Amino acid sequence: MPEGLSRPKCVVEQYTREGSWVVVVRGDLDMDSMPPVREAMERAAAALPVLILDTGAVSFADSSALNLLLLIHQATTLRIAAPPPQLLRMLRITGADQILNLYPSTEQACAAAG
């Protein structure tokens, strides 16, 4: 990355919708940004039986993000909404797309949860 430019920080927002907890992440999902994302997802998994992770605004995801997704998947019903191409590619390469529940949008993930 050129000097003076920094990677976008991860932003986490949360809300309930149709009996599910929705966690929206924006920016990079990497080792540096993982603590608040992990905390939000663990809280959501404990609060409601379905967690929807809206990844539509994720700009980058590394193996620490993949690890978190697989851990949360074991703890609750996880639905990943709007995965961007880079995240989809990682999920396909690792075979995680065969394990995780992927949806084109948050609306479709919520409808499937209901």
Side-chain angles (χ1 to χ4, degrees):
M1 182 160 294
E3 188 176 327
L5 293 178
S6 62
R7 292 170 62 182
K9 296 191 187 287
C10 184
V11 176
V12 179
E13 298 174 16
Q14 304 173 62
Y15 60 91
T16 58
R17 182 173 176 179
E18 299 175 28
S20 300
W21 194 276
V22 179
V23 175
V24 181
V25 290
R26 292 181 173 86
D28 290 352
L29 288 179
D30 57 22
M31 189 184 331
D32 295 333
S33 66
M34 207 49 57
V37 176
R38 177 184 295 273
E39 182 180 325
M41 291 179 71
E42 287 173 347
R43 273 204 214 135
L48 289 171
V50 177
L51 164 58
I52 297 170
L53 181 66
D54 182 338
T55 60
V58 168
S59 52
F60 173 81
D62 69 6
S63 61
S64 60
L66 176 61
N67 185 49
L68 178 61
L69 294 176
L70 294 171
L71 286 171
I72 295 296
H73 171 73
Q74 292 175 344
T76 191
T77 301
L78 174 63
R79 291 170 171 41
I80 300 171
Q86 186 270 344
L87 179 58
L88 265 179
R89 183 173 185 271
M90 179 175 63
L91 296 175
R92 287 184 180 136
I93 287 171
T94 61
D97 65 325
Q98 301 299 308
I99 298 167
L100 300 171
N101 300 304
L102 307 175
Y103 295 86
S105 69
T106 300
E107 292 75 20
Q108 289 172 316
C110 287

